[in-house]
Amino acid sequence: EETLKFIEDHNITIPVILDEEGILMYYMGVKAYPTKYIIHDGKEFVAYVEGAFGLVEGYEEFLQYAKDVVKNK
């Protein structure tokens, strides 16, 4: 509930997966929270960013980084 409020309050427009049971966290080897993955073509993980960068501060830079990674794929 707190995460959804944060997303709404900060107008975050990228898809967010809430892994409440930690299944994806375990499977993906997440070491920092939050971790943001860039998924190309809906099926291929091409990059990730650990930590808070890109959520509020640096959000536009993160989106540009994601676009650049996918563009150069």
Side-chain angles (χ1 to χ4, degrees):
E1 195 171 297
E2 185 178 326
T3 302
L4 295 175
K5 182 173 177 1
F6 181 88
I7 291 166
E8 185 177 307
D9 289 349
H10 295 284
N11 195 32
I12 294 175
T13 59
I14 58 176
V16 174
I17 297 173
L18 300 176
D19 183 24
E20 294 177 7
E21 295 179 20
I23 295 167
L24 286 174
M25 190 169 148
Y26 175 79
Y27 177 73
M28 301 300 294
V30 173
K31 296 179 182 98
Y33 186 78
T35 298
K36 295 158 295 301
Y37 288 91
I38 300 170
I39 303 170
H40 181 314
D41 206 20
K43 59 187 171 196
E44 180 184 8
F45 291 97
V46 294
Y48 68 95
V49 178
E50 295 178 330
F53 174 77
L55 288 179
V56 176
E57 209 170 296
Y59 182 62
E60 294 300 322
E61 291 89 344
F62 174 73
L63 291 180
Q64 187 58 55
Y65 170 72
K67 289 175 187 176
D68 291 345
V69 167
V70 170
K71 179 180 164 185
N72 293 322
K73 186 68 182 139

